[in-house]
Amino acid sequence: MTSNELTTRDLAGEPAVTGERAELLEMLAKHRHYLRFTTRDLTDEQAGLRTTASELCLGGLIKHVAAVERNWGEFILNGPSALGDFTAMTEADWARRADEFRLLPGETLAGVLADYAEVARWTDDLVATLPDLETAQPLPKAPWFEPGAQWSARRVLMHIIAETAQHAGHADIIRESLDGAKSMG
């Protein structure tokens, strides 16, 4: 399957899934919502502001989570080459990766949200059409991965959910620091 292929959808336009897959997608959708919700009513300028000691901004978090979800989905399909060899990254590679966390000139909040929505649809389609959640791939070379370890599609999906939830929490702090708005409470 490539990122351009579509799956069968139900009448609401959602991938037709049940059981474990439906539960994984429901949890992911919940955390995607919280992340997107933190950007409600913001201008592009506000979405690009750093409001804490962190380098993070709301637009950059959306970009990062979309890239993470896209890259891990490609990993499910194509293995470690989709993520690259982190031990061979140059300073320029790390600088490009750091740009993932910023809203760059010419980028808009609407644009990064639209990209995130497209990635979400693609991931949902991928989960709906995977033959088996047990299918595993070897992890790429990286100082933070155990050499020779493999992750199943299920484990990758749980990682995407955890990453999205973690960054939704970061986004809530950034938004509250920006203008006092909260996602919950």
Side-chain angles (χ1 to χ4, degrees), residues 26-71:
E26 180 183 341
M27 184 63 65
L28 182 54
K30 174 184 173 180
H31 293 297
R32 285 176 183 146
H33 165 75
Y34 287 132
L35 178 59
R36 286 189 312 264
F37 188 65
T38 62
T39 66
R40 69 196 178 284
D41 304 324
L42 292 181
T43 65
D44 293 337
E45 180 183 359
Q46 290 171 312
L49 291 177
R50 291 177 43 213
T51 63
T52 66
S54 167
E55 291 289 325
L56 302 175
C57 68
L58 292 170
L61 276 174
I62 300 288
K63 277 178 52 179
H64 170 68
V65 172
V68 164
E69 191 169 317
R70 179 185 298 112
N71 292 340

Side-chain angles (χ1 to χ4, degrees), residues 5 15 25 29 37 45 49 52 73 89 92 96 114-115 121 124 137 140-142 158 164 182-183:
E5 292 180 278
L25 289 176
F37 188 65
E45 180 183 359
L49 291 177
T52 66
M89 287 180 65
R96 277 190 294 280
D115 181 56
R121 282 189 297 276
D124 292 352
Q137 299 278 10
K141 290 182 183 177
M158 290 187 302
T164 304
K182 299 178 192 177
S183 295

Side-chain angles (χ1 to χ4, degrees), residues 82-95:
L83 298 176
D85 179 349
F86 290 96
T87 64
M89 287 180 65
T90 66
E91 284 186 38
D93 294 330
W94 287 109

Side-chain angles (χ1 to χ4, degrees), residues 78-148:
N78 302 310
S81 64
L83 298 176
D85 179 349
F86 290 96
T87 64
M89 287 180 65
T90 66
E91 284 186 38
D93 294 330
W94 287 109
R96 277 190 294 280
R97 185 173 167 86
D99 283 345
E100 216 177 74
F101 292 94
R102 296 187 258 288
L103 199 58
L104 300 174
E107 294 179 330
T108 65
L109 178 58
V112 297
L113 286 168
D115 181 56
Y116 188 35
E118 182 180 320
V119 169
R121 282 189 297 276
W122 179 76
T123 301
D124 292 352
D125 287 347
L126 175 62
V127 172
T129 59
L130 279 173
D132 186 355
L133 293 178
E134 290 296 321
T135 301
Q137 299 278 10
L139 291 171
K141 290 182 183 177
W144 48 86
F145 291 136
E146 181 182 333

